[in-house]
Amino acid sequence: MKIIFLLISSLFIFTINAQNKIGSFTTDKGETIDVYENKDNIVDLDLASRMIIKGNVILTSEKLIYFDASNKVKKIKQHKVELLNFDGRTFKNLPITKIGQKRLHEIFIENDKYILTNYSSTLGNYFYIFNKNDMKIVKKKTHHSLKKKDDYKSLDKIIKKYFSNCPEIFDQIKQNIRNLDYAWKDANGNWLIKNNMFNGFVNYKCN
């Protein structure tokens, strides 16, 4: 009976301490690595001033920081990650310049011909549009969510051109621009990195 009690207690403790898997990524060498929740809300203080995305997965402009099954912090350079999936979000390794420098882009919207992605840096969010056939850039680095007038212009001059078969997204983007807060500094004067223009778009596929 004592042995059974110890086994049950050990199982209970293991269950309490077990990490929840929240996603995975594939490296440029074909290895698949699981990603776990940031159980203790750990923040890498050495990189805190450069974090673009924080939570279960942390992204800086150059690195992916994640947590293994033991809740240990792990780091890998973005250009070594081919595909990242977590919390329903998808990031793909794609160029940020025409000379081939690559980083992780989040996929926001796609239709039968094009993919609209987002690349985040310490200076803000930028959207790109890629041709799905050859994954070449057809619309390079465009800053968004900084000024309302610029986002309206991008919608009319760019988004509607490449996603003309997706009229359902236009009203949502207009609502985002019209209703969301475009303040670009907080009360302490710190730079805010926002995704206002494409708020709510995650792996959206046009009908």
Side-chain angles (χ1 to χ4, degrees), residues 87-114:
D87 293 343
R89 303 167 72 174
T90 299
F91 293 74
K92 188 173 178 61
N93 191 308
L94 292 166
I96 58 172
T97 65
K98 288 195 173 182
I99 61 173
Q101 186 181 21
K102 290 186 174 183
R103 292 290 185 272
L104 290 173
H105 292 236
E106 183 171 6
I107 297 176
F108 280 170
I109 304 169
E110 64 178 287
N111 61 14
D112 58 335
K113 294 181 179 179
Y114 303 105

Side-chain angles (χ1 to χ4, degrees), residues 1-41:
M1 180 65 71
K2 185 175 181 181
I3 293 175
I4 294 174
F5 175 77
L6 289 173
L7 286 173
I8 293 173
S9 297
S10 297
L11 180 61
F12 176 77
I13 292 172
F14 174 78
T15 302
I16 292 296
N17 291 323
Q19 292 291 92
N20 291 322
K21 178 183 170 183
I22 54 92
S24 64
F25 65 89
T26 305
T27 70
D28 56 354
K29 295 181 179 179
E31 182 181 9
T32 298
I33 297 176
D34 291 334
V35 174
Y36 293 81
E37 67 176 338
N38 182 358
K39 187 175 180 181
D40 300 320
N41 197 28

Side-chain angles (χ1 to χ4, degrees), residues 78-89:
Q78 284 191 33
H79 68 81
K80 293 183 177 181
V81 179
E82 290 297 321
L83 190 68
L84 165 67
N85 291 286
F86 74 96
D87 293 343
R89 303 167 72 174

Side-chain angles (χ1 to χ4, degrees), residues 148-190:
K148 288 177 182 279
K149 65 176 184 178
D150 291 342
D151 284 355
Y152 279 124
K153 183 177 179 180
S154 291
L155 173 60
D156 290 334
K157 302 293 184 180
I158 303 171
I159 308 302
K160 289 182 178 180
K161 175 182 176 181
Y162 293 100
F163 293 88
S164 58
N165 68 322
C166 307
E168 70 274 16
I169 71 175
F170 303 153
D171 285 342
Q172 182 58 55
I173 292 174
K174 285 180 181 177
Q175 286 183 38
N176 288 345
I177 299 171
R178 182 168 57 248
N179 298 327
L180 297 179
D181 179 16
Y182 270 69
W184 52 278
K185 284 189 177 182
D186 64 18
N188 297 317
N190 298 312

Side-chain angles (χ1 to χ4, degrees), residues 49-100:
S49 64
R50 292 181 281 137
M51 288 190 300
I52 308 301
I53 294 174
K54 54 188 176 182
N56 285 328
V57 169
I58 294 172
L59 285 180
T60 70
S61 294
E62 296 183 355
K63 292 183 180 180
L64 162 64
I65 301 166
Y66 63 99
F67 300 83
D68 67 10
S70 301
N71 204 37
K72 291 182 179 179
V73 178
K74 301 289 184 178
K75 303 175 187 178
I76 185 171
K77 291 184 178 179
Q78 284 191 33
H79 68 81
K80 293 183 177 181
V81 179
E82 290 297 321
L83 190 68
L84 165 67
N85 291 286
F86 74 96
D87 293 343
R89 303 167 72 174
T90 299
F91 293 74
K92 188 173 178 61
N93 191 308
L94 292 166
I96 58 172
T97 65
K98 288 195 173 182
I99 61 173

